[in-house]
Amino acid sequence: SRIVVLASGTGTLLQALIDATADPGYPAEIVAVGSDRPGCGALDRADAAGIPGFAVPLGAHPDRAAWDVALTEAVVAHRPELVVSAGFMRILGPAFLAGVPCPMINTHPALLPAFPGAHPVRDALAHGVKVSGATVHLVDSGVDTGPILAQEAVPVLPGDTEAELHERIKITERRLLVGTVAALVRDGRDRTRGDLP
Ligand code: GRF
């Protein structure tokens, strides 16, 4: 299956998918990587892996709606059968959700519905939780609210900084994402509806 990955940051989650898809037995290929941030680590990793990358910066468009349409066109151009948001830090608007004809999943470094939003690791630490984790979910019109596909708990250790806890969660997040993508694609192929060829 054709996957388009959207990312905004260092791209270690993307890298985990790149490494997984290098195995010919993995049932999906990354056909493009998109970002809102030109020059971000994720686009560098795509280049290094020979995967086409594209950037749709917010500032290059008169308003959010125009950006949403431009991003949708850039993604649809690659004919994705699954879109994966792997550390994409923008909220996707209605044009995107209506314009992209395939399922989309997102990964979040917290046990949703706890700690949605842009700073879940910081929020979890501030709340004093003893356990957090990673969630992979289908994207719907809300923020971090779609049906949950996979979760795994990650312990919070005394004295954890945000960076330390986030890195520990990302180790789990990468494995969860790789496994969930493979399951989705295989399940999609098995389903009689065949909506994930
Ligand atoms: C991940 O924890 C993702 O869930 C969050 O940002 C992080 C991205 O990490 N939204 P990376 O850029 O893939 O290293």
Side-chain angles (χ1 to χ4, degrees):
S1 286
R2 299 172 60 83
I3 295 178
V4 168
V5 179
L6 297 179
S8 304
T10 56
T12 66
L13 290 170
L14 164 69
Q15 191 62 53
L17 276 173
I18 289 173
D19 297 346
T21 56
D23 173 350
Y26 194 76
E29 59 171 325
I30 301 170
V31 295
V33 174
S35 183
D36 58 312
R37 295 190 195 159
C40 71
L43 287 176
D44 293 342
R45 291 174 188 271
D47 288 348
I51 297 170
F54 60 86
V56 184
L58 206 53
H61 299 277
D63 56 36
R64 184 96 193 193
W67 173 80
D68 208 31
V69 169
L71 182 68
T72 304
E73 289 169 354
V75 169
V76 168
H78 291 284
R79 294 179 286 111
E81 293 160 294
L82 176 66
V83 176
V84 175
S85 164
F88 189 66
M89 298 310 280
R90 301 280 182 194
I91 295 173
L92 295 159
F96 187 90
L97 298 170
V100 174
C102 65
M104 177 164 183
I105 64 174
N106 180 45
T107 170
H108 187 79
L111 293 175
L112 291 173
F115 310 119
H119 304 288
V121 178
R122 186 184 68 188
D123 298 345
L125 281 175
H127 202 89
V129 299
K130 305 306 179 191
V131 174
S132 189
T135 301
V136 179
H137 64 94
L138 285 165
V139 171
D140 66 6
S141 57
V143 177
D144 300 326
T145 53
I148 290 172
L149 297 173
Q151 288 191 307
E152 188 170 316
V154 173
V156 179
L157 302 180
D160 262 344
T161 62
E162 180 181 355
E164 286 164 339
L165 177 54
H166 198 171
E167 190 45 47
R168 188 177 314 119
I169 291 173
K170 282 165 78 171
I171 294 167
T172 294
E173 210 174 347
R174 293 174 195 131
R175 180 167 32 82
L176 214 57
L177 181 62
V178 167
T180 304
V181 166
L184 258 183
V185 167
R186 288 195 180 106
D187 177 52
R189 285 177 177 164
D190 300 343
R191 251 204 306 263
T192 50
R193 288 189 298 129
D195 62 354
L196 250 184

